[in-house]
Amino acid sequence: MPELPEVETARRLIADLGLGRRIADVDDADTFVCRPHSPGKLREALTGRTLTAAHRRGKAMWCETSGVDSSAGPGPDLGIHLGMSGRIVIVAADGWVAEGGDPPGRDAQPRKAAWDRFTLEFADGGRLSLFDKRRLGRIQLNPDIDALGPDAGEVALAEFRALVTKGTIAVKARLLDQSKIAGVGNLLADQMLWKAKISPATPVNHLRRQDADRLYRALRSVLESAAARGGAHTGDVIAARRPGGTCPRCGAEMRHGTVGGRSTWWCSREQAWSAPASELLPEAASQR
DNA sequence: ACTCGTGTTAGCTG
DNA sequence: TCAGCTAACACGAG
């Protein structure tokens, strides 16, 4: 299930194998994945064009398209979001298949054709599909990319500090807010908070400058290692996200709860959160 | 049978 | 209007 590193893999796949191929037909029959949905709308908008570039910001991808002929202006952008279980599958003219997105190894059963939610049929006989079991992926023309914050892999330290520390929300919930920082999902958030030794429940206004800076460095290194190792699920602490799991660093028991509406795991020793004494009620402070 | 989930978002509240 | 929270979406896996 894709976070930033998996989406980048999918984007690169499209950039390498999907560009410059004439779109001969479009299957946009899925009434939930293709939005806004009027059957045939995407077919009408895309047939006769080619994809000319593949971009990504956070977990959102979009492809530029060519004019239907050389005299026409460029076509609409094709927005692609993989959701929780989406994967890009590209079939070459000779039938060779390449995939990127949701790691195939984790659900390696044969692909059912019914799970291809959107397909570009190329004139060369190949195709590009959004394969998505849960149908939470999205295909959309001209997606509003500016609604997203800066890409998590490109945000600068000063910008990160400003975006992450304003307000009172739990730091993990803020990291998951795509309008602030784009690309961090549930696993990357747990991994980077663990790496920075910060409790996921810490209200962001309680983060000191040194905490925010440590979290920023954790973001950089977690993205880098996830990209190198093949996805967000390869993080050191991810294997410990299970009942009975222990911290890979100190051996303490891992705790589980819900933060920002998502399943969350943290080290009971290194990521314990306690409010500064000045913010506790008098009776609570006296118990410390 | 029943619960959970690596994501997003409409709709509600203060 | 904004920040923050919750339920809903869909469906396969355990």
Side-chain angles (χ1 to χ4, degrees):
Chain A
M1 297 162 201
E3 300 189 33
L4 187 153
E6 290 84 359
V7 179
E8 174 57 18
T9 301
R11 186 205 64 80
R12 198 175 307 123
L13 185 73
I14 297 172
D16 289 346
L17 300 174
L19 304 186
R21 303 167 72 180
R22 185 175 176 279
I23 298 166
D25 201 359
V26 177
D27 180 351
D28 60 359
D30 191 296
T31 57
F32 192 78
V33 170
C34 301
R35 291 188 178 183
H37 191 79
S38 316
K41 269 280 164 57
L42 288 169
R43 167 188 281 150
E44 186 184 341
L46 297 170
T47 299
R49 304 181 187 279
T50 66
L51 305 181
T52 55
H55 305 282
R56 179 189 61 76
R57 182 145 149 199
K59 298 176 239 187
M61 292 185 281
W62 69 100
C63 297
E64 295 178 46
T65 64
S66 72
V68 286
D69 61 58
S70 53
S71 62
D77 287 346
L78 174 63
I80 304 173
H81 198 295
L82 300 178
M84 288 263 266
S85 58
R87 189 188 311 167
I88 295 298
V89 179
I90 297 185
V91 179
D94 64 6
W96 183 74
V97 177
E99 310 186 23
D102 183 33
R106 304 186 74 251
D107 62 338
Q109 73 279 110
R111 272 203 311 278
K112 295 185 190 173
W115 292 337
D116 279 340
R117 310 298 183 179
F118 171 79
T119 299
L120 300 176
E121 307 275 1
F122 295 120
D124 60 23
R127 60 188 169 83
L128 182 158
S129 296
L130 170 62
F131 171 81
D132 180 12
K133 283 198 285 198
R134 286 183 60 186
R135 299 174 86 198
L136 292 169
R138 290 291 176 270
I139 299 290
Q140 187 185 3
L141 294 180
N142 300 315
D144 182 11
I145 299 301
D146 290 334
L148 298 171
D151 185 82
E154 295 180 5
V155 63
L157 173 58
E159 196 178 15
F160 179 84
R161 279 188 200 124
L163 287 165
V164 165
T165 60
K166 181 170 172 256
T168 59
I169 199 170
V171 59
K172 178 172 176 183
R174 173 57 53 79
L175 291 173
L176 294 174
D177 183 346
Q178 304 298 300
S179 73
K180 300 294 191 297
I181 307 279
V184 177
N186 203 28
L187 292 188
L188 287 178
D190 273 9
Q191 174 73 25
M192 63 188 276
L193 287 163
W194 173 78
K195 191 137 196 173
K197 301 185 182 177
I198 292 171
S199 164
T202 313
V204 292
N205 58 332
H206 286 236
L207 293 173
R208 297 160 298 178
R209 185 185 177 101
Q210 68 208 50
D211 298 322
D213 290 5
R214 211 168 58 252
L215 191 56
Y216 179 77
R217 288 195 298 276
L219 169 65
R220 307 289 306 188
S221 88
V222 164
L223 284 178
E224 189 180 340
S225 92
R229 290 151 75 168
H233 62 286
T234 63
D236 318 274
V237 83
I238 302 309
R241 294 173 97 260
R242 55 178 176 76
T246 55
C247 173
R249 211 164 30 206
C250 79
E253 152 193 32
M254 294 296 288
R255 290 270 155 73
H256 180 240
T258 299
V259 180
R262 313 301 302 183
S263 179
T264 301
W265 295 80
W266 66 94
C267 171
S268 57
R269 182 183 300 160
E270 299 175 334
Q271 292 175 271
W273 180 68
S274 52
S278 63
E279 304 221 359
L280 292 176
L281 296 172
E283 62 270 26
S286 68
Q287 290 170 12
R288 307 221 302 177

